[in-house]
Amino acid sequence: MGAFVSLGKTLPAGTTSDQRYAMSMGAVPRPPMAQLGSFNRPGGAGFPGGSTMARSSSNSNMNSMPSPRQQSRRSGGSKRDNFQSNPNAEAQAAKTMPLTAGMELKPIQVSATGWKPRSVGQSQSATGAAGPTPGASGASGHMEPDQVQRKVKAALNKMTPEKFDKIADQILAIAAQSKDEADGRTLRQVIQLTFEKATDEAHWASMYARFCKRMLETMSPEIKDESITDKNGNIVSGGNLFRKYLLNRCQEEFERGWKMDLPDKPEGEPGEGNTPEAVMLSDEYYIAAAAKRRGLGLVQFIGELYKLSMLTERIMHECVKKLVDYTGIPDEAEIESLTKLLKTIGANLDSTEKGKPMMDVYFTRIQSMIDTPELPSRLRFMLMDIVDLRKKRWQSKEDNKGPKTLEEVRAEVWLLQRKGRFLE
């Protein structure tokens, strides 16, 4: 490193602090300072004076000073370069890796039946997605069942009151390819997916019922199923075929019921796997809870179809009769389904000339259920709520619940804010 030559001291040796203070105050004269040395600059003028200040070469002492940094001992490039040039070394290193130690590693083989994206090389369809145009003539224009499944599910997930018309048209375009089918396969698949969605999401049952009404009214008479005929032997097609598909599915699921017993609450000392939380997290509980949710969703969906005149009043009376017909202690599933159905269609049945006397009979039966001593309190209160709801002419705070548009939500918020300011 470079070194500077000493210039000497500015005050004589042995000067005390009192003397320095006196010098600073001007009481004692300051001794003359030593002249600064000249800087030896190449090609420049130096300062005249005494000793010179010279800087030694910075490289002169570098070799004599040991460096703490060790020189890299690696030669011949990085390990990655070595592995690329030597596959055997890479394979040997992979065997010693913790995750692959002792495993026989082989390169990935491309299979002829491997998955490939369907959208590659396909044109834009009428539904706004890549793929063949639904309903196009020719076998090449048909979607496969798995593709129909994927596209219809995605469209149903996006359906909202604001996007209802757009999404409904997309699904109807897919269902239209049944015109070229002899068994109405695609239409049955669309109905199946819509039915599952409506029963699993009861809150949106009214919207899915509207969609079914839309399909019924716009169903092409060219869609047919050669295996289904009417009383006269004619092939059923168009809206009648759609209604038959939908009614058969609703009837099958309703008659099957959703009764599934939930796991019993644990008894004894609490321990590992013997807590209410553990029971609620078990697979059996989730299966039973899902069955109950779909069962109650089915009842509400049937009621919404009746309110849109897609199901007859006779079918509704048959459903209510089945639910109030019991022996011994009423079943929990039947009571919950009964209350859900009456909340949905009770006002409609009570408003018809034939339905009102039938409703009187139903509520007489309901009162006998309430008077059953062995009936659990939760079910008894559910039936009592239905009785009170009829006395109030089916007016309830839950009437305004269901899918709403953004404008309806904003209007409700505005009314609530205005009501809050008025109360203040």
Side-chain angles (χ1 to χ4, degrees):
M1 299 293 288
F4 291 95
V5 178
S6 175
L7 298 176
K9 298 183 179 180
T10 59
L11 291 177
T15 305
T16 64
S17 60
D18 293 336
Q19 293 173 344
R20 288 195 297 269
Y21 177 75
M23 292 177 189
S24 65
M25 298 299 293
V28 177
R30 188 182 184 92
M33 296 179 60
Q35 293 181 348
L36 294 174
S38 62
F39 292 93
N40 294 330
R41 298 182 181 178
F47 289 94
S51 61
T52 60
M53 182 173 65
R55 181 175 180 180
S56 61
S57 175
S58 61
N59 296 328
S60 60
N61 299 328
M62 287 297 293
N63 296 331
S64 61
M65 297 179 62
S67 173
R69 182 173 178 180
Q70 299 295 327
Q71 185 177 4
S72 175
R73 289 174 290 183
R74 187 171 57 183
S75 61
S78 64
K79 291 184 178 180
R80 182 181 302 174
D81 297 334
N82 293 339
F83 287 157
Q84 291 179 353
S85 60
N86 191 353
N88 295 331
E90 183 177 2
Q92 186 65 26
K95 293 181 179 180
T96 60
M97 296 276 298
L99 297 178
T100 59
M103 297 176 57
E104 184 180 359
L105 303 179
K106 297 180 180 179
I108 298 177
Q109 299 293 333
V110 179
S111 174
T113 59
W115 179 86
K116 296 180 181 179
R118 294 178 177 271
S119 59
V120 176
Q122 293 181 348
S123 60
Q124 197 80 0
S125 67
T127 61
T133 303
S137 59
S140 60
H142 273 70
M143 293 185 185
E144 295 298 326
D146 59 338
Q147 192 173 4
V148 173
Q149 181 101 354
R150 185 172 63 255
K151 289 185 176 294
V152 173
K153 271 190 173 183
L156 290 173
N157 288 335
K158 300 174 184 176
M159 182 175 285
T160 60
E162 288 87 1
K163 301 179 181 179
F164 178 81
D165 293 331
K166 178 181 177 181
I167 300 298
D169 291 341
Q170 292 180 6
I171 301 177
L172 289 174
I174 296 175
Q177 78 174 17
S178 287
K179 295 178 182 178
D180 302 319
E181 299 170 350
D183 55 354
R185 178 196 65 206
T186 304
L187 176 60
R188 282 188 282 110
Q189 191 173 2
V190 171
I191 294 174
Q192 167 76 11
L193 295 173
T194 305
F195 180 86
E196 292 177 354
K197 193 73 172 175
T199 55
D200 196 55
E201 300 177 2
H203 178 76
W204 303 86
S206 59
M207 184 182 68
Y208 294 123
R210 282 180 52 207
F211 175 59
C212 291
K213 178 76 171 180
R214 178 82 167 267
M215 282 196 288
L216 176 65
E217 294 173 346
T218 60
M219 192 58 55
S220 172
E222 299 179 17
I223 299 178
K224 59 184 180 299
D225 189 346
E226 296 178 354
S227 61
I228 299 178
T229 57
D230 57 12
K231 297 179 180 179
N232 299 325
N234 299 323
I235 297 176
V236 180
S237 62
N240 293 331
L241 179 63
F242 172 82
R243 186 190 297 271
K244 192 170 187 64
Y245 281 154
L246 185 61
L247 289 182
N248 288 345
R249 185 58 196 272
C250 291
Q251 182 179 359
E252 291 174 3
E253 294 296 329
F254 184 80
E255 291 179 351
R256 181 184 305 170
W258 57 267
K259 180 181 178 181
M260 292 189 70
D261 296 330
L262 293 174
D264 297 332
K265 293 183 178 180
E267 298 179 357
E269 294 296 330
E272 185 178 357
N274 193 28
T275 61
E277 292 79 7
V279 173
M280 294 183 66
L281 293 175
S282 62
D283 295 339
E284 294 81 4
Y285 183 89
Y286 277 104
I287 294 174
K292 178 179 180 179
R293 181 180 66 251
R294 288 190 292 268
L296 296 178
L298 169 64
V299 172
Q300 184 169 348
F301 181 58
I302 290 175
E304 296 293 343
L305 292 175
Y306 165 70
K307 291 165 69 174
L308 295 176
S309 302
M310 294 187 66
L311 299 180
T312 62
E313 184 178 349
R314 181 185 64 82
I315 295 177
M316 290 296 100
H317 284 296
E318 292 295 330
C319 292
V320 178
K321 288 178 183 178
K322 182 179 184 299
L323 294 175
V324 298
D325 186 16
Y326 69 94
T327 56
I329 302 176
D331 184 70
E332 177 182 0
E334 293 180 353
I335 290 181
E336 293 196 37
S337 299
L338 175 63
T339 55
K340 175 69 74 174
L341 183 59
L342 290 178
K343 283 181 181 179
T344 307
I345 66 171
N348 300 77
L349 294 180
D350 247 345
S351 61
T352 62
E353 181 180 355
K354 178 182 178 181
K356 194 173 188 315
M358 296 294 295
M359 289 289 285
D360 293 336
V361 176
Y362 300 152
F363 275 84
T364 302
R365 189 67 170 171
I366 289 175
Q367 187 60 47
S368 65
M369 294 181 184
I370 296 174
D371 297 336
T372 303
E374 296 83 3
L375 189 68
S377 299
R378 186 179 71 89
L379 302 180
R380 179 178 290 107
F381 291 140
M382 291 178 64
L383 296 174
M384 293 172 65
D385 290 342
I386 286 295
V387 174
D388 294 339
L389 187 60
R390 192 190 187 200
K391 291 179 181 178
K392 297 178 182 178
R393 299 182 180 275
W394 305 100
Q395 298 297 323
S396 173
K397 296 180 180 180
E398 297 182 357
D399 294 341
N400 202 26
K401 289 185 178 181
K404 301 175 184 177
T405 62
L406 292 177
E407 293 298 329
E408 292 174 345
V409 174
R410 294 191 185 103
E412 287 185 2
V413 173
W414 181 80
L415 290 175
L416 291 175
Q417 291 176 348
R418 184 178 180 184
K419 184 178 179 181
R421 288 194 298 265
F422 177 76
L423 293 177
E424 292 177 357

